[in-house]
Amino acid sequence: MAMSGRMMGGLLGGALLAVGLAQAQDDTFDEYRSMFGDDNPAIFIVDEGSELWTQARGPENVSLEQCDLGQGPGVVENVYGQLPRYFEDTDSVMDLEGRLIHCMVELQGFKREEIIEGIYSGAGDNGTEMEALVAYVADASQGSKVAVPQSHPEEKAAYKAGEALFYHRAGPYDFSCATCHRQSDKRIRLQSLPNLTEAEGARATYTTWPAYRISQGVVRTMGWRMRNCARQQRLPELQPGSEAVVDLLMYMGVNAEGGSMDAPGLKR
Amino acid sequence: MMKRLMISLFALSLMSGCGQGGNGEQSAASTNPQAQAGNASGNTEQGAQADAASDTNAASAVMAPDPDAILRTSMQARNGVGLDRLDQDSLQIACSNAEDRAGDQAGKLREAAMAAIEFPEDGNYLGDWKKGEAIAQNGRGMQYSDDPDDPNGGNCYACHELAAGEVAYGTMGPSLRNYGQRGQSEAMLKYTWGKIWNPHAYMVCSHMPRFGEAGILTPDQIRHVMALLLDPASPVNKAE
Protein backbone atom coordinates (compact mmCIF):
# COMPACT_ATOMS: atom_id res chain seq x y z
CA MET A 1 0.00 0.00 0.00
CA ALA A 2 2.60 2.45 1.10
CA MET A 3 4.98 1.19 -1.57
CA SER A 4 2.53 1.65 -4.42
CA GLY A 5 1.91 5.18 -3.21
CA ARG A 6 5.61 5.78 -3.14
CA MET A 7 5.99 4.50 -6.68
CA MET A 8 3.16 6.71 -7.86
CA GLY A 9 4.93 9.67 -6.30
CA GLY A 10 8.11 8.69 -8.11
CA LEU A 11 6.32 8.63 -11.45
CA LEU A 12 4.81 12.03 -10.80
CA GLY A 13 8.26 13.21 -9.78
CA GLY A 14 9.73 12.08 -13.06
CA ALA A 15 7.06 13.97 -14.95
CA LEU A 16 7.75 17.15 -13.03
CA LEU A 17 11.47 16.81 -13.43
CA ALA A 18 11.02 17.01 -17.19
CA VAL A 19 8.80 20.06 -16.85
CA GLY A 20 11.06 21.53 -14.19
CA LEU A 21 14.19 21.32 -16.30
CA ALA A 22 12.52 23.08 -19.18
CA GLN A 23 11.05 25.96 -17.21
CA ALA A 24 11.97 25.86 -13.58
CA GLN A 25 10.47 29.21 -12.67
CA ASP A 26 8.97 29.56 -9.23
CA ASP A 27 5.56 30.56 -10.55
CA THR A 28 5.55 27.58 -12.88
CA PHE A 29 6.32 25.35 -9.95
CA ASP A 30 3.66 27.01 -7.81
CA GLU A 31 1.14 26.30 -10.57
CA TYR A 32 2.26 22.72 -10.76
CA ARG A 33 2.12 22.38 -7.00
CA SER A 34 -1.42 23.71 -6.93
CA MET A 35 -2.38 20.92 -9.34
CA PHE A 36 -1.55 18.51 -6.53
CA GLY A 37 -4.21 20.19 -4.41
CA ASP A 38 -4.11 18.47 -1.06
CA ASP A 39 -2.51 15.40 -2.60
CA ASN A 40 0.98 15.40 -1.18
CA PRO A 41 2.56 11.99 -1.81
CA ALA A 42 4.13 12.42 1.64
CA ILE A 43 0.88 11.06 3.15
CA PHE A 44 2.03 7.56 2.28
CA ILE A 45 5.32 8.11 4.04
CA VAL A 46 3.46 9.57 7.03
CA ASP A 47 1.49 6.32 7.25
CA GLU A 48 4.71 4.38 7.12
CA GLY A 49 6.14 6.52 9.93
CA SER A 50 3.04 5.96 12.03
CA GLU A 51 3.52 2.20 11.70
CA LEU A 52 7.21 2.48 12.58
CA TRP A 53 6.32 4.51 15.68
CA THR A 54 3.92 1.90 17.06
CA GLN A 55 5.63 -1.31 15.98
CA ALA A 56 7.77 -3.25 18.46
CA ARG A 57 11.20 -3.15 16.83
CA GLY A 58 14.92 -3.44 17.41
CA PRO A 59 16.93 -5.74 19.68
CA GLU A 60 14.73 -4.67 22.62
CA ASN A 61 11.58 -5.36 20.61
CA VAL A 62 9.70 -2.29 21.83
CA SER A 63 7.90 0.54 20.06
CA LEU A 64 8.76 4.23 20.22
CA GLU A 65 5.59 4.96 22.17
CA GLN A 66 7.60 5.76 25.29
CA CYS A 67 9.83 8.17 23.39
CA ASP A 68 9.68 11.70 24.84
CA LEU A 69 9.87 14.30 22.09
CA GLY A 70 9.51 17.17 24.53
CA GLN A 71 5.86 17.02 25.56
CA GLY A 72 6.06 13.79 27.54
CA PRO A 73 6.55 10.09 26.64
CA GLY A 74 4.53 9.07 23.61
CA VAL A 75 3.19 12.55 22.79
CA VAL A 76 3.62 13.19 19.08
CA GLU A 77 1.04 15.94 18.55
CA ASN A 78 2.41 19.48 18.16
CA VAL A 79 6.00 18.74 19.13
CA TYR A 80 7.71 19.73 15.87
CA GLY A 81 7.33 23.50 16.26
CA GLN A 82 8.83 23.33 19.75
CA LEU A 83 12.06 21.64 18.75
CA PRO A 84 14.98 21.90 19.26
CA ARG A 85 14.65 22.07 23.05
CA TYR A 86 16.53 21.16 26.21
CA PHE A 87 16.08 17.60 27.48
CA GLU A 88 16.84 16.87 31.09
CA ASP A 89 17.61 13.18 30.61
CA THR A 90 20.53 13.95 28.27
CA ASP A 91 21.27 17.39 29.73
CA SER A 92 21.49 18.75 26.20
CA VAL A 93 19.53 20.57 23.52
CA MET A 94 18.31 18.18 20.82
CA ASP A 95 16.47 18.48 17.52
CA LEU A 96 13.87 16.00 16.30
CA GLU A 97 16.26 13.79 14.35
CA GLY A 98 18.77 13.69 17.21
CA ARG A 99 16.00 12.86 19.65
CA LEU A 100 14.62 10.08 17.44
CA ILE A 101 18.12 8.60 17.17
CA HIS A 102 18.38 8.82 20.96
CA CYS A 103 15.08 6.94 21.41
CA MET A 104 15.92 4.29 18.83
CA VAL A 105 19.20 3.65 20.64
CA GLU A 106 18.02 3.89 24.26
CA LEU A 107 14.58 2.30 23.92
CA GLN A 108 14.87 -0.05 20.97
CA GLY A 109 18.54 -0.95 21.24
CA PHE A 110 19.56 0.00 17.70
CA LYS A 111 23.18 0.96 17.12
CA ARG A 112 23.70 4.69 16.66
CA GLU A 113 26.29 4.23 13.90
CA GLU A 114 23.96 2.02 11.92
CA ILE A 115 21.08 4.49 12.17
CA ILE A 116 23.29 7.35 11.05
CA GLU A 117 24.89 5.36 8.24
CA GLY A 118 21.60 4.96 6.38
CA ILE A 119 19.70 7.92 7.77
CA TYR A 120 18.91 9.69 4.47
CA SER A 121 17.95 8.20 1.13
CA GLY A 122 20.72 8.06 -1.42
CA ALA A 123 20.19 8.25 -5.16
CA GLY A 124 17.55 5.71 -6.19
CA ASP A 125 16.64 4.77 -2.61
CA ASN A 126 13.00 4.37 -1.66
CA GLY A 127 13.03 6.22 1.63
CA THR A 128 14.47 5.54 5.08
CA GLU A 129 12.97 4.88 8.48
CA MET A 130 14.16 8.26 9.76
CA GLU A 131 12.52 10.05 6.84
CA ALA A 132 9.24 8.25 7.56
CA LEU A 133 9.37 8.93 11.30
CA VAL A 134 10.16 12.62 10.79
CA ALA A 135 7.31 12.92 8.26
CA TYR A 136 4.93 11.29 10.76
CA VAL A 137 5.93 13.55 13.64
CA ALA A 138 5.83 16.71 11.51
CA ASP A 139 2.42 15.78 10.12
CA ALA A 140 1.05 15.52 13.68
CA SER A 141 2.09 19.18 14.17
CA GLN A 142 0.21 20.55 11.14
CA GLY A 143 -1.30 23.92 11.92
CA SER A 144 0.49 24.39 15.26
CA LYS A 145 2.57 27.49 15.91
CA VAL A 146 6.36 27.56 15.91
CA ALA A 147 7.39 28.22 19.51
CA VAL A 148 10.95 26.98 19.93
CA PRO A 149 11.74 27.46 23.62
CA GLN A 150 14.31 29.93 24.95
CA SER A 151 13.76 29.46 28.68
CA HIS A 152 16.64 27.14 29.64
CA PRO A 153 20.17 28.64 29.62
CA GLU A 154 21.29 25.84 27.27
CA GLU A 155 18.56 26.85 24.82
CA LYS A 156 19.73 30.45 24.90
CA ALA A 157 23.33 29.34 24.45
CA ALA A 158 22.30 27.19 21.48
CA TYR A 159 20.69 30.22 19.82
CA LYS A 160 23.83 32.33 20.31
CA ALA A 161 26.01 29.52 18.97
CA GLY A 162 23.65 29.08 16.02
CA GLU A 163 23.91 32.76 15.21
CA ALA A 164 27.72 32.60 15.34
CA LEU A 165 27.71 29.47 13.15
CA PHE A 166 25.40 31.20 10.68
CA TYR A 167 27.99 33.91 10.00
CA HIS A 168 31.04 31.64 10.21
CA ARG A 169 33.01 31.63 6.96
CA ALA A 170 35.11 28.60 6.11
CA GLY A 171 36.19 26.31 3.31
CA PRO A 172 37.86 26.98 -0.04
CA TYR A 173 34.86 29.06 -1.21
CA ASP A 174 34.68 31.27 1.95
CA PHE A 175 30.96 30.54 2.32
CA SER A 176 28.92 30.95 5.49
CA CYS A 177 25.21 30.20 5.81
CA ALA A 178 24.77 33.96 5.62
CA THR A 179 26.36 34.12 2.17
CA CYS A 180 23.15 32.75 0.69
CA HIS A 181 20.62 33.32 3.49
CA ARG A 182 20.96 36.83 4.86
CA GLN A 183 19.35 38.73 1.97
CA SER A 184 15.79 38.69 0.71
CA ASP A 185 14.67 38.24 -2.89
CA LYS A 186 17.88 36.64 -4.09
CA ARG A 187 18.24 33.38 -5.94
CA ILE A 188 20.85 30.83 -7.04
CA ARG A 189 20.17 29.98 -10.67
CA LEU A 190 16.35 29.93 -10.48
CA GLN A 191 16.10 28.72 -6.90
CA SER A 192 14.82 31.39 -4.50
CA LEU A 193 16.86 31.76 -1.34
CA PRO A 194 15.06 32.34 1.96
CA ASN A 195 16.42 35.08 4.22
CA LEU A 196 16.78 33.14 7.47
CA THR A 197 17.66 36.20 9.55
CA GLU A 198 14.08 37.47 9.28
CA ALA A 199 10.75 36.03 10.42
CA GLU A 200 9.26 35.73 6.94
CA GLY A 201 12.04 33.65 5.43
CA ALA A 202 12.70 31.66 8.58
CA ARG A 203 9.01 30.78 8.93
CA ALA A 204 8.62 29.80 5.28
CA THR A 205 11.59 27.47 5.68
CA TYR A 206 11.08 26.09 9.17
CA THR A 207 7.41 25.27 8.65
CA THR A 208 7.77 23.43 5.32
CA TRP A 209 10.46 20.87 6.15
CA PRO A 210 10.38 17.90 6.06
CA ALA A 211 9.13 17.97 2.49
CA TYR A 212 8.28 15.55 -0.26
CA ARG A 213 10.88 16.29 -2.90
CA ILE A 214 9.07 15.64 -6.18
CA SER A 215 12.23 15.44 -8.27
CA GLN A 216 13.65 12.80 -5.92
CA GLY A 217 10.50 10.87 -5.01
CA VAL A 218 11.29 10.81 -1.28
CA VAL A 219 10.66 12.85 1.85
CA ARG A 220 13.66 14.98 2.72
CA THR A 221 14.28 16.19 6.26
CA MET A 222 15.72 19.44 7.56
CA GLY A 223 18.85 17.56 8.59
CA TRP A 224 19.26 16.37 5.01
CA ARG A 225 18.77 19.92 3.69
CA MET A 226 21.40 21.31 6.07
CA ARG A 227 23.86 18.54 5.23
CA ASN A 228 23.54 19.48 1.58
CA CYS A 229 24.07 23.16 2.36
CA ALA A 230 27.35 22.20 4.06
CA ARG A 231 28.32 20.07 1.07
CA GLN A 232 27.69 22.98 -1.26
CA GLN A 233 29.79 25.14 1.07
CA ARG A 234 32.58 22.67 0.23
CA LEU A 235 32.75 21.59 3.87
CA PRO A 236 32.91 18.03 5.25
CA GLU A 237 29.78 15.97 5.92
CA LEU A 238 27.46 17.51 8.51
CA GLN A 239 26.24 14.85 10.93
CA PRO A 240 22.57 14.37 11.90
CA GLY A 241 21.66 15.52 15.39
CA SER A 242 25.09 17.14 15.80
CA GLU A 243 25.64 20.28 17.81
CA ALA A 244 26.00 22.45 14.70
CA VAL A 245 22.67 21.19 13.33
CA VAL A 246 20.93 21.74 16.67
CA ASP A 247 22.37 25.24 17.12
CA LEU A 248 21.59 26.37 13.58
CA LEU A 249 18.10 24.92 13.82
CA MET A 250 17.61 26.72 17.13
CA TYR A 251 18.63 29.98 15.44
CA MET A 252 16.25 29.40 12.53
CA GLY A 253 13.43 28.12 14.75
CA VAL A 254 13.51 31.08 17.12
CA ASN A 255 13.59 33.45 14.14
CA ALA A 256 10.55 31.57 12.79
CA GLU A 257 8.50 32.10 15.95
CA GLY A 258 4.78 32.37 15.28
CA GLY A 259 4.82 30.58 11.92
CA SER A 260 2.23 27.86 11.30
CA MET A 261 3.56 24.36 10.75
CA ASP A 262 2.75 23.14 7.25
CA ALA A 263 4.90 20.04 6.90
CA PRO A 264 5.49 17.69 5.25
CA GLY A 265 5.74 20.28 2.51
CA LEU A 266 5.95 19.73 -1.21
CA LYS A 267 9.08 20.92 -2.99
CA ARG A 268 10.54 20.52 -6.41
CA MET B 1 44.39 25.04 18.04
CA MET B 2 47.97 25.60 16.94
CA LYS B 3 46.87 26.38 13.42
CA ARG B 4 44.20 28.74 14.63
CA LEU B 5 46.72 30.61 16.73
CA MET B 6 49.03 30.88 13.75
CA ILE B 7 46.17 32.20 11.67
CA SER B 8 45.33 34.67 14.41
CA LEU B 9 48.94 35.75 14.53
CA PHE B 10 48.80 36.37 10.81
CA ALA B 11 45.67 38.44 11.29
CA LEU B 12 47.42 40.39 14.00
CA SER B 13 50.47 41.01 11.87
CA LEU B 14 48.20 42.34 9.15
CA MET B 15 46.51 44.58 11.64
CA SER B 16 49.52 46.01 13.38
CA GLY B 17 52.12 45.59 10.68
CA CYS B 18 54.34 43.52 13.00
CA GLY B 19 53.62 40.02 14.23
CA GLN B 20 56.85 39.64 16.22
CA GLY B 21 57.46 39.65 19.92
CA GLY B 22 56.77 37.65 23.05
CA ASN B 23 53.30 39.08 23.53
CA GLY B 24 52.16 37.73 20.17
CA GLU B 25 50.23 34.77 21.49
CA GLN B 26 48.45 36.68 24.17
CA SER B 27 47.51 39.48 21.81
CA ALA B 28 46.41 37.03 19.16
CA ALA B 29 44.08 35.44 21.67
CA SER B 30 42.60 38.81 22.46
CA THR B 31 41.90 39.50 18.78
CA ASN B 32 40.15 36.17 18.45
CA PRO B 33 37.83 35.29 21.33
CA GLN B 34 37.35 31.82 19.81
CA ALA B 35 41.03 31.03 20.24
CA GLN B 36 40.89 32.37 23.75
CA ALA B 37 38.62 29.61 25.00
CA GLY B 38 40.82 26.93 26.52
CA ASN B 39 43.90 29.16 26.47
CA ALA B 40 44.59 29.42 30.16
CA SER B 41 47.79 31.45 30.07
CA GLY B 42 47.04 34.30 32.42
CA ASN B 43 50.64 35.25 33.11
CA THR B 44 50.56 38.68 31.53
CA GLU B 45 48.73 41.79 32.53
CA GLN B 46 46.39 41.63 29.55
CA GLY B 47 45.83 37.92 30.02
CA ALA B 48 44.94 38.48 33.64
CA GLN B 49 42.46 41.12 32.61
CA ALA B 50 40.89 38.74 30.14
CA ASP B 51 40.62 36.05 32.81
CA ALA B 52 39.03 38.53 35.19
CA ALA B 53 36.57 39.53 32.52
CA SER B 54 35.59 35.93 31.84
CA ASP B 55 35.19 35.33 35.59
CA THR B 56 32.71 38.19 35.65
CA ASN B 57 30.89 36.78 32.65
CA ALA B 58 30.80 33.32 34.19
CA ALA B 59 28.08 34.54 36.53
CA SER B 60 25.74 34.94 33.59
CA ALA B 61 26.82 31.48 32.36
CA VAL B 62 26.91 32.62 28.74
CA MET B 63 30.29 31.92 27.16
CA ALA B 64 31.22 33.24 23.75
CA PRO B 65 30.29 30.50 21.30
CA ASP B 66 33.09 28.74 19.44
CA PRO B 67 31.70 27.86 16.01
CA ASP B 68 34.98 26.36 14.84
CA ALA B 69 35.05 23.85 17.70
CA ILE B 70 31.36 23.06 17.23
CA LEU B 71 31.85 22.35 13.53
CA ARG B 72 34.82 20.06 14.22
CA THR B 73 32.64 17.82 16.41
CA SER B 74 29.67 18.05 14.03
CA MET B 75 31.31 17.10 10.74
CA GLN B 76 33.11 14.10 9.34
CA ALA B 77 35.61 13.76 6.54
CA ARG B 78 34.21 12.27 3.37
CA ASN B 79 35.67 11.44 -0.02
CA GLY B 80 38.82 13.48 0.51
CA VAL B 81 37.03 16.48 2.04
CA GLY B 82 38.55 16.61 5.52
CA LEU B 83 38.20 18.70 8.65
CA ASP B 84 41.17 20.81 7.50
CA ARG B 85 38.61 22.52 5.27
CA LEU B 86 37.42 24.21 8.48
CA ASP B 87 40.75 25.97 9.10
CA GLN B 88 39.97 29.67 8.81
CA ASP B 89 42.44 32.19 7.42
CA SER B 90 42.65 35.80 8.61
CA LEU B 91 40.20 37.03 6.00
CA GLN B 92 37.56 34.44 6.88
CA ILE B 93 37.92 35.27 10.57
CA ALA B 94 37.64 39.00 9.92
CA CYS B 95 34.58 38.60 7.68
CA SER B 96 32.65 36.15 9.92
CA ASN B 97 30.14 38.63 11.31
CA ALA B 98 26.63 39.89 10.75
CA GLU B 99 27.87 43.28 9.54
CA ASP B 100 29.92 41.64 6.77
CA ARG B 101 32.73 44.09 7.51
CA ALA B 102 36.36 43.55 8.41
CA GLY B 103 36.48 46.70 10.52
CA ASP B 104 39.92 48.24 10.97
CA GLN B 105 41.53 45.21 9.31
CA ALA B 106 39.89 45.94 5.97
CA GLY B 107 42.69 48.10 4.56
CA LYS B 108 45.46 45.63 5.35
CA LEU B 109 43.43 42.67 4.12
CA ARG B 110 42.66 44.42 0.86
CA GLU B 111 46.31 45.32 0.32
CA ALA B 112 47.43 41.76 1.11
CA ALA B 113 44.85 40.37 -1.32
CA MET B 114 45.96 42.76 -4.05
CA ALA B 115 49.64 42.02 -3.51
CA ALA B 116 49.07 38.26 -3.86
CA ILE B 117 47.27 38.35 -7.21
CA GLU B 118 49.23 36.39 -9.78
CA PHE B 119 48.79 38.13 -13.12
CA PRO B 120 49.71 36.23 -16.30
CA GLU B 121 53.43 36.67 -16.85
CA ASP B 122 53.12 36.56 -20.63
CA GLY B 123 50.40 39.24 -20.61
CA ASN B 124 47.95 36.77 -22.16
CA TYR B 125 44.62 37.40 -20.43
CA LEU B 126 42.12 36.04 -22.93
CA GLY B 127 41.37 32.42 -23.83
CA ASP B 128 38.43 30.77 -25.58
CA TRP B 129 34.99 32.10 -24.64
CA LYS B 130 33.34 28.79 -25.53
CA LYS B 131 35.44 27.02 -22.92
CA GLY B 132 34.68 29.91 -20.59
CA GLU B 133 30.94 29.38 -21.07
CA ALA B 134 31.30 25.69 -20.17
CA ILE B 135 33.24 26.65 -17.03
CA ALA B 136 30.60 29.26 -16.13
CA GLN B 137 27.86 26.63 -16.48
CA ASN B 138 29.64 23.99 -14.39
CA GLY B 139 28.76 24.00 -10.69
CA ARG B 140 30.86 21.02 -9.73
CA GLY B 141 34.14 20.92 -7.90
CA MET B 142 35.54 20.46 -4.38
CA GLN B 143 32.33 18.95 -2.94
CA TYR B 144 32.66 15.49 -1.42
CA SER B 145 30.09 14.39 -3.98
CA ASP B 146 32.35 15.45 -6.87
CA ASP B 147 35.01 13.39 -8.62
CA PRO B 148 38.26 15.07 -7.57
CA ASP B 149 39.80 14.07 -10.90
CA ASP B 150 37.32 16.19 -12.86
CA PRO B 151 38.19 19.85 -13.44
CA ASN B 152 36.36 22.33 -11.21
CA GLY B 153 33.68 24.59 -12.61
CA GLY B 154 33.32 28.30 -11.95
CA ASN B 155 29.52 28.16 -11.50
CA CYS B 156 29.30 31.81 -12.55
CA TYR B 157 25.62 31.46 -13.50
CA ALA B 158 24.74 30.52 -9.93
CA CYS B 159 25.07 34.20 -9.05
CA HIS B 160 25.46 36.24 -12.25
CA GLU B 161 23.55 36.93 -15.45
CA LEU B 162 25.93 36.46 -18.37
CA ALA B 163 24.90 35.24 -21.84
CA ALA B 164 21.52 36.45 -23.12
CA GLY B 165 20.43 32.92 -23.99
CA GLU B 166 20.79 31.61 -20.45
CA VAL B 167 17.73 32.48 -18.37
CA ALA B 168 18.64 30.27 -15.39
CA TYR B 169 20.97 32.74 -13.74
CA GLY B 170 21.17 33.76 -10.09
CA THR B 171 20.94 37.24 -8.65
CA MET B 172 23.43 37.09 -5.77
CA GLY B 173 25.95 39.02 -7.84
CA PRO B 174 25.51 41.85 -10.33
CA SER B 175 24.50 41.19 -13.94
CA LEU B 176 27.50 40.84 -16.23
CA ARG B 177 25.53 41.16 -19.47
CA ASN B 178 27.52 43.18 -22.03
CA TYR B 179 30.54 43.22 -19.74
CA GLY B 180 32.71 43.51 -22.83
CA GLN B 181 31.49 47.04 -23.41
CA ARG B 182 33.99 48.03 -20.78
CA GLY B 183 36.73 47.38 -23.33
CA GLN B 184 40.05 45.58 -23.16
CA SER B 185 42.40 48.23 -21.78
CA GLU B 186 45.23 46.89 -19.65
CA ALA B 187 43.56 48.38 -16.56
CA MET B 188 40.31 46.57 -17.44
CA LEU B 189 42.09 43.28 -18.07
CA LYS B 190 43.98 43.51 -14.79
CA TYR B 191 40.88 44.53 -12.82
CA THR B 192 38.79 41.67 -14.23
CA TRP B 193 41.55 39.11 -13.69
CA GLY B 194 42.14 40.37 -10.16
CA LYS B 195 38.43 40.32 -9.34
CA ILE B 196 38.21 36.66 -10.37
CA TRP B 197 41.52 35.81 -8.68
CA ASN B 198 40.61 37.45 -5.37
CA PRO B 199 37.58 39.76 -5.14
CA HIS B 200 38.68 40.96 -1.69
CA ALA B 201 41.41 42.96 -3.42
CA TYR B 202 38.60 45.33 -4.42
CA MET B 203 35.90 44.70 -1.81
CA VAL B 204 36.87 43.08 1.48
CA CYS B 205 34.28 40.56 2.68
CA SER B 206 32.91 40.08 -0.83
CA HIS B 207 30.61 37.05 -1.12
CA MET B 208 32.43 35.81 -4.20
CA PRO B 209 34.95 32.97 -3.89
CA ARG B 210 38.65 33.60 -4.49
CA PHE B 211 38.78 31.55 -7.67
CA GLY B 212 42.50 32.02 -8.31
CA GLU B 213 43.82 32.50 -4.80
CA ALA B 214 41.97 29.42 -3.49
CA GLY B 215 42.93 27.28 -6.50
CA ILE B 216 39.35 26.71 -7.59
CA LEU B 217 40.15 27.62 -11.20
CA THR B 218 43.50 27.31 -12.97
CA PRO B 219 45.02 30.34 -14.73
CA ASP B 220 44.06 28.76 -18.06
CA GLN B 221 40.44 28.40 -16.92
CA ILE B 222 40.44 32.02 -15.76
CA ARG B 223 41.65 33.05 -19.23
CA HIS B 224 38.64 31.28 -20.74
CA VAL B 225 36.24 32.98 -18.31
CA MET B 226 37.93 36.31 -19.11
CA ALA B 227 37.20 35.70 -22.80
CA LEU B 228 33.57 34.88 -22.00
CA LEU B 229 33.33 38.29 -20.35
CA LEU B 230 35.39 40.40 -22.73
CA ASP B 231 35.50 38.81 -26.20
CA PRO B 232 33.16 40.76 -28.52
CA ALA B 233 32.15 37.41 -30.06
CA SER B 234 31.05 36.01 -26.68
CA PRO B 235 27.27 35.61 -26.11
CA VAL B 236 27.74 37.81 -23.04
CA ASN B 237 28.30 40.68 -25.46
CA LYS B 238 25.70 39.75 -28.08
CA ALA B 239 22.14 41.06 -28.21
CA GLU B 240 20.75 37.52 -27.98
Side-chain angles (χ1 to χ4, degrees), chain B residues 20 35 53:
Chain B
Q20 306 290 317

Side-chain angles (χ1 to χ4, degrees), chain A residues 137-138 258:
Chain A
V137 173

Side-chain angles (χ1 to χ4, degrees), chain B residues 138-206:
Chain B
N138 181 4
R140 298 207 179 277
M142 294 178 123
Q143 302 170 109
Y144 56 72
S145 53
D146 295 326
D147 184 342
D149 293 334
D150 288 343
N152 297 333
N155 209 16
C156 312
Y157 284 103
C159 298
H160 295 284
E161 180 181 17
L162 290 146
E166 178 54 88
V167 297
Y169 58 85
T171 56
M172 297 275 293
S175 172
L176 301 174
R177 282 280 300 133
N178 297 310
Y179 189 90
Q181 287 179 358
R182 304 181 193 201
Q184 295 188 12
S185 67
E186 194 188 348
M188 199 60 221
L189 291 171
K190 289 189 81 167
Y191 165 76
T192 306
W193 182 277
K195 187 86 180 175
I196 296 169
W197 191 275
N198 187 347
H200 304 273
Y202 305 93
M203 192 175 88
V204 174
C205 298
S206 165

Side-chain angles (χ1 to χ4, degrees), chain A residues 149-200:
Chain A
Q150 282 286 280
S151 48
H152 194 280
E154 292 288 343
E155 292 165 348
K156 290 178 184 155
Y159 180 88
K160 294 302 285 182
E163 185 178 38
L165 283 161
F166 186 80
Y167 291 107
H168 188 83
R169 293 201 192 203
Y173 283 45
D174 304 326
F175 290 156
S176 67
C177 306
T179 305
C180 290
H181 294 296
R182 99 171 83 199
Q183 299 174 88
S184 302
D185 304 321
K186 297 286 183 188
R187 56 177 217 234
I188 285 186
R189 288 282 187 160
L190 293 176
Q191 176 66 55
S192 296
L193 296 165
N195 179 350
L196 300 178
T197 68
E198 293 178 355
E200 187 187 353

